[in-house]
Amino acid sequence: MEVKSRQRFKNGRFKKKMDVMDCNNNVDLLSEEEKSNELQMFENNPTSPDKATNIAVTEYSDILQGRRIIDLAYFAKMLQQGCAGCEEPLQLVGCVSERKYGLASIFQIKCHKCGNITSISSGKRQNDEKNGQGPFDVNVKLGVALLHAGIGEAIFASILAIMNIPCMTSGNMKKVERRAGSAIENLAKETCDVILKDEAEKSSDSLSLSYDAGWQKRGSGKNYNSLSGHASMIGLHTKKVVGYSVMSKTCRKCDVATKSGNTVPDHDCRKNWGGSSKAMEPAMAVNILNEIKEKGIFKER
Ligand SMILES: [Zn+2]
Ligand SMILES: [Zn+2]
């Protein structure tokens, strides 16, 4: 494919990308010219099957719309591996249907040589010991990304909508976020244990730790009423976190059930504080120290 130079207006000024792009935000993967060339190639192919039904052409405009998140190396390799029937390399223009799994897709691609249909996914899946094939990598990463960026599913869905990327349901997004959350929590706890042992070995007689707490809502001078707070302790020698605590005054599931008069369903409740927000700070310090004590590493002076 030849690289086009930037387009210019008659007066010689360069056209901005926006001038060149389709203003309906409905930009296809290929320009009109490139697309018709690709279709032409497909139609002129002497081995092309079902020319009468014209499947590839009609399905092309119906299916390959908008944008997708693709693991390029994996996808290219799968296309190269080719047809399950005759091993002829596959072309994306032969896609006859697409099944969405969150942000991942499985494309059914028709071989232009033998007509066999081969399924190719847009990215790798994780191994699941129970069920064999686990969730798609891209969906797992989404859970981590939502937590890392600190945004909710509504904001992410609106970003994808503008980008013209098909989105997953908010319920599924919450699921992947929760799955990532528990994995990150376990990792944080394991890391703290390792650092605490290291700190204890480097300390001569007692542990020297620094401590600070913070709240998610800033105190205004009059009100110090944040609904949640967090704290961490850092070792003097390792300069790493040996313990942390998070406190929350509310839980959405509990609140909704209580307001509607229903019994509270069994859930991973994070409401663990009923006092004032300011009092969270000493309480979290005590929590962390008690946890360290329980681990049997705490050294009395
Ligand atoms: Zn084939
Ligand atoms: Zn709750």
Side-chain angles (χ1 to χ4, degrees), residues 250-255 264-271:
T250 57
C251 167
R252 180 128 175 89
K253 280 206 170 162
C254 290
D255 288 353
V264 182
D266 189 29
H267 66 288
D268 181 20
C269 189
R270 294 307 168 106
K271 184 177 173 178

Side-chain angles (χ1 to χ4, degrees), residues 16-289:
K16 282 184 186 168
K17 246 186 190 168
M18 282 303 292
D19 298 325
V20 181
M21 273 163 57
D22 180 355
C23 295
N24 297 328
N25 191 30
N26 203 5
V27 187
D28 281 325
L29 293 166
L30 305 170
S31 70
E32 281 305 314
E33 194 188 335
E34 287 166 335
K35 198 157 67 175
S36 74
N37 282 348
E38 292 235 10
L39 294 182
Q40 207 85 49
M41 264 165 48
F42 194 83
E43 280 183 313
N44 291 344
N45 192 331
T47 54
S48 167
D50 292 344
K51 208 173 172 185
T53 54
N54 220 7
I55 282 179
V57 178
T58 49
E59 295 290 337
Y60 180 75
S61 57
D62 285 340
I63 293 161
L64 297 182
Q65 291 242 325
R67 300 182 174 81
R68 304 288 186 278
I69 298 171
I70 303 264
D71 182 338
L72 280 176
Y74 175 84
F75 195 64
K77 191 178 142 199
M78 295 313 284
L79 284 176
Q80 187 63 36
Q81 261 181 22
C83 167
C86 69
E87 294 187 359
E88 175 78 5
L90 292 165
Q91 293 176 349
L92 197 51
V93 283
C95 180
V96 289
S97 71
E98 177 189 4
R99 258 177 288 147
K100 299 281 304 159
Y101 294 82
L103 291 181
S105 300
I106 291 183
F107 299 100
Q108 311 274 335
I109 299 180
K110 192 164 189 172
C111 174
H112 62 93
K113 203 171 173 187
C114 73
N116 226 322
I117 292 194
T118 308
S119 296
I120 287 185
S121 58
S122 57
K124 276 178 239 162
R125 299 178 84 146
Q126 301 201 332
N127 282 330
D128 193 332
E129 284 175 9
K130 274 186 200 165
N131 309 318
Q133 278 191 323
F136 281 96
D137 273 5
V138 66
N139 294 331
V140 176
K141 290 261 179 193
L142 172 66
V144 182
L146 289 173
L147 291 171
H148 179 68
I151 58 171
E153 65 273 16
I155 295 177
F156 185 69
S158 63
I159 293 172
L160 289 193
I162 298 296
M163 303 281 291
N164 210 1
I165 299 172
C167 194
M168 63 207 286
T169 61
S170 58
N172 282 336
M173 253 195 267
K174 206 73 210 165
K175 262 187 216 164
V176 295
E177 193 186 58
R178 289 218 175 91
R179 198 187 291 146
S182 63
I184 290 173
E185 251 176 26
N186 290 338
L187 184 66
K189 278 176 193 152
E190 276 173 31
T191 315
C192 282
D193 287 353
V194 172
I195 301 297
L196 185 61
K197 266 183 199 160
D198 194 19
E199 181 68 33
E201 278 166 18
K202 284 175 178 161
S203 309
S204 53
D205 56 344
S206 62
L207 289 174
S208 298
L209 308 170
S210 63
Y211 170 78
D212 196 20
W215 293 268
Q216 269 59 55
K217 183 182 167 190
R218 187 180 169 174
S220 64
K222 280 184 186 170
N223 287 324
Y224 292 87
N225 54 359
S226 177
L227 292 176
S228 58
H230 59 274
S232 57
M233 267 185 199
I234 295 173
L236 177 71
H237 296 96
T238 54
K239 295 181 174 56
K240 286 175 183 168
V241 175
V242 296
Y244 68 91
S245 178
V246 181
M247 280 189 163
S248 177
K249 286 161 80 169
T250 57
C251 167
R252 180 128 175 89
K253 280 206 170 162
C254 290
D255 288 353
V256 169
T258 319
K259 263 184 197 168
S260 57
N262 296 330
T263 49
V264 182
D266 189 29
H267 66 288
D268 181 20
C269 189
R270 294 307 168 106
K271 184 177 173 178
N272 56 358
W273 189 243
S276 76
S277 302
K278 197 78 186 114
M280 281 179 187
E281 186 165 7
M284 286 190 287
V286 173
N287 272 356
I288 299 172
L289 289 175

